[in-house]
Amino acid sequence: MALLLAALGAQPSVASPHLSNGVAQLSQAPRIWLVNDFLDKAEVSYLRGLADATQFGACENQRVLNNGKACAQLKISSSTPVLDRLEKLWHVDTSHVESLAAVRYSPGSSPSAAHVDHYSDGTPADMTIVLYLTDAAPEEAGHTNFPFAGAAPLSVAPKAGSLLAWMNVDEATGEENPMAKHSVGATPADAPHDRLILQFSITLRPQLKRSCPPL
């Protein structure tokens, strides 16, 4: 599930967030970043309310609902502070974003296989951004896992309000990076609530190599 942020008007420096803005780099190969409390409680509540009022259906490339995963586009105002914050942190133009791509995982949803994010035409998404709108429940459920990142596997627990971002491609060549393969853990059938995320993809080509200087 992907939303092109400017369709999204990505600028050359999009993959170089400012560490002063609270960005923690979790991995160098591939580069993975985490921003805790990117959304405050009121923003999380607002976005979850939008999701609750929106009808979810089959995700892209998914003919019918299965495995407890469903997708939707949340209608949103271009003046929403969340978009302004994304624009400032990732240097992207969000002025004409009218909806946010949401993914809902119901209790009992299956884990996903390790994969690299692609668009519907098979092209790998240069970069993925995930906003978590719910915590893991129970604690070990629904983690975003990177089994091939760096020297050891990396697992990120969902935390409402946090932002996770990573590069899906080799920054020197623009080719798909197998080390960026990631999976999503299962949600137990007895989990007290659905898991909900917003997910975006940003395209940096054809200037990808010089768009990603080391942090």
Side-chain angles (χ1 to χ4, degrees):
M1 186 69 175
L3 175 67
L4 274 176
L5 279 180
L8 269 178
Q11 300 301 316
S13 58
V14 67
S16 300
H18 301 295
L19 291 176
S20 59
N21 287 342
V23 180
Q25 186 167 343
L26 305 183
S27 170
Q28 178 62 31
R31 288 205 287 170
I32 302 172
W33 302 274
L34 179 66
V35 186
N36 286 312
D37 301 317
F38 181 81
L39 304 174
D40 62 29
K41 291 182 179 180
E43 290 169 329
V44 170
S45 178
Y46 165 70
L47 292 168
R48 289 177 62 173
L50 282 182
D52 289 341
T54 301
Q55 183 174 358
F56 280 66
C59 298
E60 186 177 350
N61 298 324
Q62 180 179 311
R63 293 183 180 179
V64 296
L65 294 179
N66 58 49
N67 299 328
K69 177 182 177 182
C71 298
Q73 293 287 336
L74 309 186
K75 298 297 183 181
I76 192 168
S77 168
S78 60
S79 61
T80 299
V82 174
L83 294 180
D84 181 63
R85 202 172 306 123
L86 282 169
E87 183 168 311
K88 290 179 178 178
L89 181 62
W90 296 100
H91 307 286
V92 293
D93 177 14
T94 63
S95 60
H96 45 286
V97 175
E98 298 179 346
S99 63
L100 299 175
V103 184
R104 186 187 295 277
Y105 299 88
S106 300
S109 63
S110 304
S112 71
H115 63 284
V116 173
D117 289 335
H118 289 77
Y119 298 120
S120 57
D121 65 358
T123 304
D126 294 338
M127 180 180 181
T128 298
I129 295 177
V130 169
L131 285 171
Y132 296 107
L133 299 184
T134 53
D135 296 324
E139 184 177 349
E140 68 275 8
H143 288 203
T144 306
N145 304 303
F146 297 86
F148 309 111
L154 174 66
S155 183
V156 179
K159 179 184 176 185
S162 64
L163 177 152
L164 179 68
W166 66 89
M167 299 297 301
N168 291 294
V169 297
D170 184 300
E171 296 179 32
T173 66
E175 298 297 321
E176 178 179 317
N177 183 358
M179 295 180 71
K181 286 186 176 181
H182 59 282
S183 63
V184 178
T187 302
D190 60 353
H193 56 71
D194 293 349
R195 287 189 294 110
L196 186 63
I197 67 168
L198 302 180
Q199 182 168 324
F200 318 91
S201 294
I202 297 177
T203 297
L204 307 175
R205 284 183 289 266
Q207 297 176 303
L208 185 133
K209 183 174 181 179
R210 66 185 182 87
S211 297
C212 305
L215 290 175

